[in-house]
Amino acid sequence: MFNYYMPVKIFAGENVVTGKSSELILGTKAMIVTGKHSGVRSGALDDVTAALNSNNISYIIYDKIENNPSIENTAEGAKTANEFGADFIIAIGGGSPLDAAKAIAVYAVNPPAEGSDFELYDIFKGKFKNTPLPMVAIPTTAGTGSEVTPYSILTLHREHTKRSFSSPDVFFKTAFLDGRYIEDLPLQTARNTAIDTLSHLIEGFTNKKSSPASDYIALEGLRVLGNNIGILKDGTAPAELCTDFLWASTLGGMVIAQTGTTIVHSMGYPLTYYKGVPHGMANGLLLGEYMRRADMEMPWKTDLYLEALGMDSIDDICTLLNELLPCDINFTEEELTDWTKTTILAKNAQSCPFDVTREIEINIYKKCLL
Ligand code: NAP
Ligand code: FE
């Protein structure tokens, strides 16, 4: 028995924001949530503001979203949304603005102000008194699939880590996928984000929570990604392939929306928090050893994902990962051991196809990073 739930309406194709502008409008006053550069550089912000102007919708642009947004960053955004009286949100950017928008949508109607019954950290319970503001997603990276997941990953400075919250209430209502928006991604960002997609697809496919539905989508995502990912060894993807990268990313999101991730993600968070390793790169550094351990439990699944990717062995994937992810950051054994005090508590350890203990996590870190 299994179920499948993914309620996001998807519009995909060139100029889809302009072509389907009425689908962008979920209220009367919009807050556009984006990063410092992504909205402008991708061209998506221009398309969105043109669509809102032509439909006489007033809006405010909140472009202060940090990479790996903190809860404080999103609470500030929610204050701005309320001061403006926004009744819907349009998120433009990579996973950071998309995830931040989900938290802003929650905080805007469940203010974490003093005396309120909703404190900043309550968001991680995933249950909200008031239904979050409705949201639209326009991804400008091809990696996280956040446009179709019920997750938001936030940085918690108080706890020196990142943590996710999850709720069916923070699925976007609508997602617009236009490959043009990722054409000008810097090369290393394109690589890191493509590896995030690879990681979602493999972690989802080998996950204890996988189902026939999620496996079907994962294999299609791996096929689309496998056809294209090699191009990133030589340079950024040509325009005609950007649509495929974006679609593979969304398929990866659809998979983890059902299965969640594994320790690759939870063990990657300290690499990002303490060493500034970008999210996708952090996953890629740990994925090799994860795949080897998963292979011991479910070799038939390894055969299936290798075939979908068009690769012969896990070693081939590791070679590609090494080529795409140059990383000259130093890690000490003490640091790695210390991080596992927190990472071992992550819920997704239970979704791995192999037993996870603190010793095993230490061993994976050492094999991958020392
Ligand atoms: P990101 O942090 O959103 O963006 C990385 C960098 O790329 C930023 O500097 C960003 O600029 C820039 N950028 C984005 N689009 C661009 C474009 N089209 N052209 C030029 N530059 C562009 O990176 P991400 O990998 O997409 O997202 C990572 C976050 O998503 C992490 O916090 C991770 O934990 C989370 N995540 C969420 C899920 C989920 O299911 N919700 C899944 C996986 C990961 P700006 O500074 O302007 O933003
Ligand atoms: Fe991810």
Side-chain angles (χ1 to χ4, degrees):
M1 199 168 74
F2 67 92
N3 57 3
Y4 177 86
Y5 183 63
M6 204 297 285
V8 185
K9 210 192 235 189
I10 295 174
F11 294 98
E14 206 173 315
N15 296 317
V16 71
V17 168
T18 324
K20 287 278 175 195
S21 67
S22 59
E23 298 284 347
L24 197 67
I25 295 155
L26 303 179
T28 55
K29 291 184 102 183
M31 176 148 113
I32 299 172
V33 172
T34 188
K36 285 186 190 69
H37 319 287
S38 47
V40 174
R41 281 205 198 142
S42 63
L45 186 59
D46 274 351
D47 289 350
V48 166
T49 51
L52 294 175
N53 286 333
S54 66
N55 285 279
N56 290 319
I57 299 292
S58 58
Y59 58 85
I60 183 173
I61 299 172
Y62 189 78
D63 60 1
K64 297 196 178 87
I65 302 304
E66 310 155 344
N67 290 355
N68 306 294
S70 63
I71 47 177
E72 292 81 5
N73 186 213
T74 63
E76 272 305 310
K79 255 194 223 164
T80 307
N82 279 339
E83 279 158 16
F84 176 66
D87 58 5
F88 73 109
I89 290 177
I90 300 176
I92 303 175
S96 295
L98 266 50
D99 282 8
K102 295 175 186 177
I104 290 173
V106 172
Y107 286 137
V109 288
N110 298 281
E114 229 172 280
S116 129
D117 58 359
F118 192 87
E119 293 303 328
L120 213 54
Y121 277 68
D122 284 350
I123 201 165
F124 294 104
K125 294 177 188 158
K127 296 225 174 348
F128 322 116
K129 190 166 161 219
N130 301 310
T131 308
L133 295 180
M135 295 169 281
V136 172
I138 306 178
T140 67
T141 62
T144 70
S146 177
E147 64 276 11
V148 290
T149 72
Y151 314 124
S152 166
I153 293 101
L154 302 174
T155 294
L156 278 70
H157 291 300
R158 193 172 83 177
E159 294 179 14
H160 300 275
T161 189
K162 295 172 69 177
R163 195 192 293 169
S164 65
F165 76 87
S166 170
S167 164
D169 290 342
V170 295
F171 271 115
F172 289 97
K173 295 278 180 258
T174 315
F176 290 86
L177 311 180
D178 188 337
R180 290 179 311 130
Y181 298 149
I182 66 159
E183 277 175 25
D184 291 331
L185 273 178
L187 177 59
Q188 196 54 48
T189 307
R191 288 171 168 171
N192 298 340
T193 48
I195 297 300
D196 194 23
T197 294
L198 178 69
S199 202
H200 295 161
L201 291 164
I202 291 179
E203 288 176 70
F205 189 62
T206 53
N207 200 290
K208 272 191 186 156
K209 293 189 192 152
S210 70
S211 71
S214 65
D215 282 356
Y216 183 83
I217 301 168
L219 289 176
E220 176 59 8
L222 289 159
R223 191 190 65 75
V224 177
L225 189 68
N227 278 341
N228 297 299
I229 195 164
I231 200 105
L232 296 178
K233 285 192 270 185
D234 304 319
T236 48
E240 66 272 18
L241 298 189
C242 287
T243 307
D244 280 359
F245 274 102
L246 195 50
W247 183 228
S249 168
T250 301
L251 291 171
M254 288 182 195
V255 172
I256 59 166
Q258 314 307 314
T259 63
T261 52
T262 68
I263 54 167
V264 174
H265 267 67
S266 46
M267 290 177 66
Y269 293 155
L271 273 60
T272 301
Y273 189 84
Y274 288 105
K275 301 284 181 173
V277 180
H279 172 69
M281 182 183 280
N283 295 336
L285 295 177
L286 301 167
L287 191 59
E289 188 54 22
Y290 170 84
M291 290 187 292
R292 292 202 170 92
R293 285 178 183 263
D295 179 50
M296 288 191 256
E297 303 300 323
M298 40 172 62
W300 66 94
K301 279 218 158 177
T302 310
D303 292 344
L304 287 169
Y305 75 66
L306 285 172
E307 189 190 347
L309 275 171
M311 294 196 185
D312 292 330
S313 65
I314 290 176
D315 283 347
D316 285 354
I317 302 180
C318 290
T319 304
L320 178 73
L321 290 171
N322 286 334
E323 285 170 321
L324 296 184
L325 303 175
C327 179
D328 58 3
I329 295 163
N330 294 318
F331 303 92
T332 66
E333 193 169 336
E334 291 68 36
E335 280 172 329
L336 305 179
T337 305
D338 197 46
W339 295 343
T340 59
K341 282 187 205 151
T342 312
T343 58
I344 194 60
L345 303 174
K347 272 196 239 132
N348 59 13
Q350 285 139 36
S351 309
C352 283
F354 49 87
D355 289 339
V356 177
T357 62
R358 203 172 154 208
E359 287 63 41
I360 286 175
E361 288 200 347
I362 293 171
N363 206 271
I364 292 175
Y365 268 142
K366 281 194 195 166
K367 282 209 161 139
C368 295
L369 302 176
L370 294 184

